[in-house]
Amino acid sequence: MTVVISSITDLRQRLLPVRRDGKTVGLVPTMGALHLGHRRLIELARRENDTVVVTVFVNPTQFDRNADLQGYPRTLEDDVAICREAGVDFVFAPDSAEMYPPGGQLAWVDVPALTEHLCGPARPGHFRGVATVVMKLFQIVQADRAYFGEKDAQQLAVIRRMVRDLNVPVEIAPVQTVREPDGLAMSSRNRRLTAEDRKTATTLSQALFTAEAIVRGGERSVDRVQAAVLPLFHRHPQIRLEYFSIVDAETLTPVETIDRPVLIAGAMWLGATRLIDNVMIAPV
Ligand code: PAF
């Protein structure tokens, strides 16, 4: 049975006997609008833990644009139905006042070195909001394992580093990106695309796969990979490319030569919808 809970105290009470009995807890933090990518996270959490908690909270502190926060899909009823079907034990769906009580948030978690590139510059404060809310969820749930999608590679890197540097006793479980049959990475934002933009949206994954093939074919120059791939975006005037970068997989700083594991990542806009995606490559 899936129990929906909105209070921190209530959730803690419910989890006390679970932990007292030595059972493991798996946490899947989400902002709702659950799709097959989330289902994959939940499936793994279900398989690897005695108790599964899915959190559904559209975290205001990680939105850099108010219109994005207001327009973010909120589908709690459907989300709970998906969780029920997937055998989730607890859905934690607090409101903003529960997570950020009146009086303001004075303590924040920041991992600045990992947020200087990729999405960081265009989304000031975003990763600080993510790290802070995830730390709050870790403190509230005290899970053994927490599941995050590799689609949000920079978020995953920030959370891993936060856990390492602040000795948070949780294992971070990365989960492979789930894609639509045409390659588009699953995202809650995809449902905001018009039919026309949905077709163009595949340009990002196509560019990433093309770059990956070029690197696997032996090319090591970032400039040459970019020169081969960027025209794919320029074919579509409706695309606003925010970045298409190749960075060191660990430090997330740009490289000139692909001589170590790298993350090839991109962000682009179609209308008011921002899409991100990435591939990881370890050249041999
Ligand atoms: O990836 C997300 O959905 C969010 O950034 C997260 C991790 C749930 C924090 O709000």
Side-chain angles (χ1 to χ4, degrees):
M1 200 184 72
T2 304
V3 180
V4 182
I5 293 173
S6 58
S7 123
I8 294 171
T9 312
D10 196 7
L11 181 64
R12 283 195 167 132
Q13 292 282 336
R14 301 272 193 157
L15 290 173
L16 271 181
V18 173
R19 244 178 259 106
R20 205 183 301 124
D21 292 350
K23 300 220 165 94
T24 55
V25 178
L27 167 66
V28 182
T30 82
M31 297 206 297
L34 301 186
H35 50 69
L36 287 177
H38 294 114
R39 271 188 197 241
R40 183 81 191 116
L41 304 182
I42 296 170
E43 261 167 40
L44 286 175
R46 182 66 288 169
R47 198 179 304 159
E48 295 174 354
N49 301 277
D50 299 310
T51 299
V52 175
V53 181
V54 172
T55 65
V56 175
F57 177 60
V58 181
N59 172 36
T61 64
Q62 71 186 75
F63 284 82
D64 44 294
R65 291 173 311 119
N66 198 38
D68 193 23
L69 171 61
Q70 298 310 327
Y72 202 85
R74 288 163 172 84
T75 57
L76 185 59
E77 231 175 87
D78 293 349
D79 296 341
V80 171
I82 289 171
C83 288
R84 204 161 269 141
E85 201 184 303
V88 169
D89 299 285
F90 300 107
V91 173
F92 177 53
D95 62 16
S96 271
E98 182 70 3
M99 291 299 282
Y100 296 101
Q105 178 80 16
L106 299 183
W108 295 90
V109 183
D110 236 332
V111 191
L114 292 180
T115 62
E116 274 168 22
H117 303 283
L118 306 178
C119 298
R123 305 199 66 189
H126 167 70
F127 288 109
R128 186 188 204 222
V130 169
T132 302
V133 82
V134 170
M135 181 59 115
K136 279 170 174 276
L137 294 171
F138 286 167
Q139 300 296 343
I140 293 166
V141 177
Q142 300 189 11
D144 296 273
R145 293 181 197 89
Y147 296 78
F148 295 91
E150 287 178 345
K151 183 181 80 72
D152 298 303
Q154 194 169 15
Q155 166 174 289
L156 180 58
V158 164
I159 291 166
R160 278 182 149 149
R161 191 65 193 214
M162 170 185 90
V163 162
R164 196 195 93 153
D165 288 1
L166 298 179
N167 307 93
V168 186
V170 63
E171 180 188 326
I172 301 300
V175 180
Q176 235 184 357
T177 303
V178 180
R179 297 182 180 279
E180 301 281 0
D182 64 4
L184 178 68
M186 298 232 176
S187 163
S188 305
R189 291 172 199 270
N190 293 352
R191 63 178 80 190
R192 300 202 324 215
L193 293 168
T194 63
E196 197 48 42
D197 284 346
R198 168 65 188 80
K199 283 188 217 144
T200 315
T202 54
T203 308
L204 184 52
S205 54
Q206 278 162 10
L208 290 165
F209 299 153
T210 303
E212 182 180 16
I214 293 171
V215 174
R216 290 205 193 284
E219 181 59 77
R220 293 292 174 262
S221 153
V222 166
D223 281 349
R224 281 198 290 269
V225 175
Q226 288 196 321
V229 167
L230 291 179
L232 295 176
F233 294 101
H234 300 151
R235 270 187 220 154
H236 303 279
Q238 65 274 45
I239 292 180
R240 192 156 56 81
L241 185 63
E242 190 179 292
Y243 67 81
F244 188 86
S245 305
I246 303 185
V247 297
D248 180 293
E250 207 166 304
T251 62
L252 304 189
T253 51
V255 297
E256 284 173 17
T257 306
I258 302 165
D259 53 4
R260 68 200 95 169
V262 292
L263 182 75
I264 310 181
M268 69 176 208
W269 290 81
L270 281 166
T273 306
R274 182 175 182 274
L275 301 174
I276 60 169
D277 197 357
N278 68 82
V279 292
M280 186 78 88
I281 308 183
V284 280

